[in-house]
Amino acid sequence: MRDLFLLDPELVFLNHGSFGACPRSVFDEYQRLQLELERNPVETLSLYRGFPAAIDAARRRLARFVGADAANLVLVPNATTGVNMVARSLDLRRGDEIVATTHEYGGNELLWEWVCERAGARYVTVDTTPARAADELLRAVTGKTRLLFVSHISSPTALRFPVEEICRRARDADVPVLVDGAHAPGQLDLDLEALGADWYTGNCHKWLCAPKGAGFLRVRPERQAELEPVALSWDWELDAWADRHRWVGTRDPSAYLAVPAAIDFQGEHGWEDVRIRCHSLAVEAGRELSELLGTEPFAADERELLQMVSVRLPPCDARALGLRLARERHVEVLTQNWRGQPVLRASFQGYNDANDLDALLGALREELV
């Protein structure tokens, strides 16, 4: 499997969760599309020629893959853009509240703090776990709560949260939910129409292995009129909601157009078996890393994990450790500070095996133990 990717063969790459990695065949299709664009930019980009049909075909294929009605899904460069579109479309007033877990992606926390500060609203965080999240998030809801924000798979702690239960109970309480699914497509089989989140945004460049710059935002029909576009331009006068968000100015659409190739790649290589194998590696990594480092794992149960695992590090400079691992030991893994404690997150994708985990354990023994 590793030979199917473009990664440096000298590198132990255990950080797929940050930016993904693209298979050779998908990248070849991406470059073919870029070359086709440069050979005749007008034919590829003009709204009166090839662009609408090509981008709509990619969007519809992606919608089928994530279990969404294509009429409810728009393409965006990444999940961060999707979260921004929703957050900046809310008409927040003084005293309003946004409720989230403490496990959210740091960039999104900065966004919510900024949006709330401008409006005089409050960003309320709940320190919880997947097992307690539905109860504790709903318990934090008040008459001033405008939105619940939750990750399907958390970025810093790599935990799967019960978004199905959270969305169902939030609907019963008449509280809208935005799910950050940045890490979900490619790790989980999705049925977004059945899930029923008011907004769900995800990446294609991470676990689906598409080129960088491809993601999506799925919006419930009753919420679509509220959503402001990334940039309002020529398509805004069209009748269909998804079409109005199609053109945001000149940009290379090749990453979007290569998403079907990424879906095909995983279909052709038995990706369900790949996921199972990588989940087993993540579970074993959590056990061995916690034992080596003498720290408690974040996951209380292996069912809370998919293809990533986060563990607490002993007191150290997490950023400096990550740099040493990468530059001196050729082991690429995410190390960061989360809630005042150093944390390591390891990702396992189809190109990884037990030798990669052994290399990480060996490097950490020499650096920390």
Side-chain angles (χ1 to χ4, degrees):
M1 182 65 71
R2 187 172 178 108
D3 291 342
L4 300 179
F5 285 77
L6 294 163
L7 292 164
D8 181 348
E10 301 302 315
L11 182 65
V12 176
F13 195 71
L14 292 168
N15 195 9
H16 190 94
S18 284
F19 305 109
C22 197
R24 188 181 305 275
S25 61
V26 178
F27 196 76
D28 287 346
E29 173 63 5
Y30 173 57
Q31 291 191 310
R32 184 193 70 78
L33 290 162
Q34 290 184 311
L35 179 60
E36 185 176 273
L37 164 64
E38 295 304 331
R39 286 172 64 84
N40 189 342
V42 175
E43 185 65 34
T44 298
L45 293 176
S46 173
L47 290 170
Y48 306 102
R49 298 197 192 176
F51 181 80
I55 208 73
D56 286 354
R59 180 172 61 86
R60 291 178 185 280
R61 181 72 189 284
L62 174 59
R64 289 196 301 273
F65 181 76
V66 297
D69 185 331
N72 299 332
L73 184 141
V74 295
L75 299 175
V76 295
N78 45 59
T80 296
T81 300
V83 175
N84 268 264
M85 289 174 70
V86 176
R88 300 175 76 165
S89 297
L90 294 175
D91 184 21
L92 289 178
R93 305 295 177 87
R94 182 169 296 279
D96 285 347
E97 297 174 347
I98 303 297
V99 175
T101 77
T102 55
H103 296 257
E104 306 309 326
Y105 176 58
N108 288 332
E109 290 188 314
L110 291 172
L111 165 68
W112 287 118
E113 289 166 358
W114 179 76
V115 167
C116 288
E117 183 179 359
R118 291 182 75 194
R122 295 178 61 227
Y123 180 55
V124 179
T125 57
V126 178
D127 188 10
T128 188
T129 67
R132 307 195 314 263
D135 287 338
E136 293 182 342
L137 284 172
L138 271 295
R139 196 177 300 139
V141 167
T142 72
K144 297 180 179 180
T145 302
R146 294 293 310 281
L147 179 146
L148 276 180
F149 179 60
V150 62
S151 292
H152 205 156
I153 303 167
S154 61
S155 176
T157 51
L159 298 174
R160 178 181 181 176
F161 277 80
V163 296
E164 298 83 1
E165 181 184 1
I166 291 168
C167 288
R168 175 178 54 79
R169 293 176 60 178
R171 276 198 304 277
D172 292 341
D174 198 27
V175 178
V177 179
L178 167 58
V179 177
D180 177 7
H183 289 275
Q187 285 201 76
L188 287 169
D189 291 328
L190 298 174
D191 187 345
L192 298 188
E193 295 299 320
L195 177 64
D198 294 84
W199 307 271
Y200 189 108
T201 187
N203 289 316
C204 301
H205 67 264
K206 288 183 184 283
W207 297 93
L208 185 51
C209 299
K212 280 70 176 166
F216 65 88
L217 174 65
R218 185 267 177 188
V219 182
R220 290 184 72 178
E222 55 267 40
R223 298 287 180 187
Q224 291 171 3
E226 307 166 4
L227 190 75
E228 295 186 3
V230 171
L232 192 151
S233 192
W234 290 106
D235 277 341
W236 193 247
E237 294 182 337
L238 297 177
D239 292 332
W241 172 79
D243 290 345
R244 292 200 296 271
H245 290 268
R246 185 173 57 190
W247 181 261
V248 295
T250 302
R251 61 154 285 162
D252 183 353
S254 300
Y256 294 149
L257 300 180
V259 167
I263 295 172
D264 289 342
F265 174 84
Q266 294 197 348
E268 293 162 1
H269 290 89
W271 220 252
E272 183 58 34
D273 290 338
V274 170
R275 292 179 191 172
I276 292 170
R277 182 173 61 81
C278 291
H279 173 257
S280 296
L281 281 169
V283 171
E284 180 64 17
R287 186 186 66 78
E288 294 201 35
L289 285 166
S290 294
E291 183 178 298
L292 172 68
L293 300 170
T295 60
E296 290 295 316
F298 285 103
D301 188 292
E302 68 178 54
R303 290 171 294 183
E304 295 179 353
L305 297 177
L306 289 162
Q307 293 176 230
M308 299 190 296
V309 62
S310 287
V311 297
R312 295 172 176 87
L313 289 165
C316 67
D317 184 331
R319 298 290 185 188
L321 172 63
L323 277 175
R324 291 199 306 274
L325 290 172
R327 294 180 176 175
E328 298 174 17
R329 303 188 183 280
H330 308 291
V331 175
E332 194 68 66
V333 68
L334 179 64
T335 56
Q336 60 185 336
N337 288 308
W338 178 74
R339 303 287 164 182
Q341 56 187 317
V343 172
L344 179 148
R345 189 189 74 194
S347 302
F348 296 90
Q349 186 51 293
Y351 48 76
N352 292 121
D353 61 22
N355 292 322
D356 298 318
L357 173 56
D358 289 344
L360 172 62
L361 293 167
L364 289 171
R365 283 191 190 94
E366 297 197 20
E367 290 286 344
L368 295 177
V369 179

